[in-house]
Amino acid sequence: MQSFDFNYQQFAEVFARLGKKFRLFGPKRVPGRGRFSDTDLITYADLQNPEDLETAEKSYLSPKSIVFPPDETTFYFTADQFTEPELSDNRETIVFLRPCDINGIERLDRIFLENGKVKDPYYQRRREKLHFFMIECRESFENCFCVAMNANRTDNFATAIRFAPEKVSVMIQNESFLEAFAEVGKKSDFVPEFVKKDSKAVNLPDVEDMPADIFSDSLWDEYDSRCIACGRCNTSCVTCSCFSTVDIFYPDSRNCGERRRVWDGCHLDGFTDMAGGHSFRKDKGDRMRFKTFHKIYDFRKRFSEDMCVGCGRCDDVCPEYISFSSCINKLSDRLSGGKKDEE
Ligand code: SF4
Ligand code: SF4
């Protein structure tokens, strides 16, 4: 492990050097594309130069699209054969991301690579190309609760980077990146630090098994009227991994087409539709309950860690100001015999 300091011009040189060999992907500001007309969108996108990299603000969308795109063709078919598409960009990829999102992608690994005997090949071929360049995160952003979710720390990174006003400090764990940095940087003793306190206190339920009556508790009723099923909380979440499979038949032949998988989510209408016209979890409160239990209960039963990493994006993006972290606290209160009629 070695560390180096750079001024911003030196860091730009390293960035350009890496860009010749790797695809560079990270948080990027898109002016005027935010939730309101005069606001910017911080999203994940390909980076052409270091100025593209937005390190001061939290991103609205997560980096999961690099391994799990919103819309992906899994194969093309004719009447008697099918072909899987090659990746359009086959380069190794450097992803700039925060500790919670590294933990989030590890949660996606559990779902796509470790949840049964078959690994998801579409996820796996993208995942194998990733190198994590961790953006150091020392202060909690609004709505973050990564400390409560035990997702504020990680040692799973190739390099860790601190973007200070006058300099950039880099610690290198993956020796294959040493040369690119060592030629330009000045040796330092930089070691990354991590968030120690959440901006919002979140108490996880202290029960091994959910009591059956909590499933029909009035706690969930408020979401029937408040939630509008827009699905923003699902699409912005780094750990939401659900998709629908769609077959598209080309207009010139009923035998030719393609199969796509498209992001879907437990809050969206139609997600639970089944053959024969059946559907379940029609009420929005039922959907909120399902998501809550999946994020902080069911997943833990299977993988011994919570699915939610406390990035707080679901709270950031909800147009109805529904707070998932408040929902967790309400559930904990209920289970401990506390408040019944909180907001
Ligand atoms: S449920 Fe919310 S806080 Fe948890 S990982 Fe998803 S978006 Fe982040
Ligand atoms: S973002 Fe808010 S309103 Fe939209 S589906 Fe999620 S909880 Fe419901």
Side-chain angles (χ1 to χ4, degrees):
M1 230 155 6
Q2 295 193 51
S3 296
F4 300 90
D5 285 347
F6 305 83
N7 62 36
Y8 273 85
Q9 192 181 343
Q10 291 169 327
F11 182 72
E13 280 176 42
V14 179
F15 192 95
R17 193 176 301 180
L18 292 170
K20 289 195 176 116
K21 183 173 173 197
F22 296 93
R23 180 179 178 190
L24 304 172
F25 192 75
K28 183 175 180 179
R29 179 180 297 274
V30 185
R33 296 295 301 273
R35 197 189 323 186
F36 305 105
S37 57
D38 56 350
T39 57
D40 300 340
L41 173 69
I42 316 291
T43 187
Y44 262 79
D46 286 289
L47 308 170
Q48 308 306 329
N49 54 63
E51 291 76 40
D52 286 345
L53 190 57
E54 171 58 56
T55 60
E57 290 183 39
K58 178 163 54 161
S59 65
Y60 184 96
L61 291 171
S62 84
K64 75 176 172 187
S65 58
I66 193 69
V67 269
F68 175 40
D71 175 353
E72 178 172 29
T73 299
T74 52
F75 58 83
Y76 299 95
F77 56 82
T78 59
D80 53 9
Q81 58 185 335
F82 70 91
T83 318
E84 292 184 3
E86 298 292 325
L87 284 178
S88 58
D89 190 333
N90 222 12
R91 288 175 294 171
E92 301 267 308
T93 304
I94 288 171
V95 192
F96 294 86
L97 72 181
R98 296 176 190 279
C100 63
D101 285 334
I102 294 176
N103 281 294
I105 290 181
E106 288 180 353
R107 304 298 191 272
L108 293 180
D109 291 347
R110 309 269 173 276
I111 292 291
F112 285 108
L113 303 178
E114 299 165 24
N115 191 23
K117 291 182 183 154
V118 180
K119 296 180 196 296
D120 183 297
Y122 306 102
Y123 179 90
Q124 187 178 22
R125 66 181 180 170
R126 294 175 190 275
R127 179 69 178 87
E128 285 171 349
K129 295 185 184 306
L130 299 193
H131 302 278
F132 295 146
F133 276 29
M134 186 185 79
I135 302 170
E136 185 193 50
C137 210
R138 289 188 286 175
E139 294 287 334
S140 179
F141 288 101
E142 187 182 6
N143 294 326
C144 292
F145 54 103
C146 60
V147 178
M149 300 314 301
N150 201 24
N152 56 320
R153 308 181 70 91
T154 180
D155 56 7
N156 180 13
F157 53 82
T159 75
I161 310 182
R162 174 182 295 172
F163 293 94
E166 286 86 31
K167 67 177 182 183
V168 181
S169 300
V170 181
M171 186 175 92
I172 296 155
Q173 289 203 127
N174 181 334
E175 296 281 313
S176 66
F177 291 102
L178 186 58
E179 189 183 331
F181 286 96
E183 274 186 26
V184 186
K186 184 172 147 219
K187 277 209 167 189
S188 76
D189 55 3
F190 165 66
V191 175
E193 296 172 20
F194 298 93
V195 176
K196 294 189 182 72
K197 189 170 183 294
D198 290 328
S199 62
K200 173 161 188 181
V202 172
N203 303 310
L204 292 169
D206 186 20
V207 289
E208 185 65 26
D209 294 303
M210 284 290 166
D213 56 0
I214 201 71
F215 285 76
S216 52
D217 195 284
S218 60
L219 156 68
W220 312 109
D221 294 349
E222 68 166 283
Y223 304 106
D224 287 342
S225 53
R226 288 181 69 193
C227 174
I228 57 170
C230 68
R232 279 187 185 186
C233 51
N234 294 134
T235 51
S236 66
C237 177
V238 63
T239 64
C240 274
S241 52
C242 289
F243 58 84
S244 283
T245 304
V246 185
D247 285 344
I248 296 168
F249 293 91
Y250 297 151
D252 49 354
S253 169
R254 284 292 298 164
N255 291 328
C256 297
E258 63 189 82
R259 175 163 294 180
R260 289 188 191 166
R261 66 183 189 186
V262 184
W263 282 0
D264 206 343
C266 51
H267 274 278
L268 289 165
D269 291 335
F271 180 68
T272 57
D273 286 356
M274 300 170 72
H278 302 291
S279 186
F280 51 102
R281 294 199 298 273
K282 289 180 185 161
D283 293 334
K284 317 292 192 301
D286 290 345
R287 300 176 194 179
M288 189 68 170
R289 183 196 64 220
F290 173 83
K291 181 177 80 177
T292 305
F293 286 165
H294 190 42
K295 296 289 184 190
I296 61 161
Y297 178 64
D298 308 337
F299 192 90
R300 170 172 286 282
K301 290 269 177 197
R302 192 172 183 86
F303 297 111
S304 304
E305 62 187 356
D306 285 314
M307 187 182 206
C308 174
V309 293
C311 71
R313 289 189 179 94
C314 49
D315 288 13
D316 299 338
V317 304
C318 179
E320 298 299 307
Y321 302 104
I322 290 170
S323 166
F324 180 56
S325 49
S326 295
C327 178
I328 296 174
N329 283 341
K330 288 176 189 178
L331 174 64
S332 296
D333 281 344
R334 216 50 139 229
L335 289 167
S336 61
K339 289 177 270 183
K340 268 265 173 191
D341 298 305
E342 61 275 71
E343 54 83 37

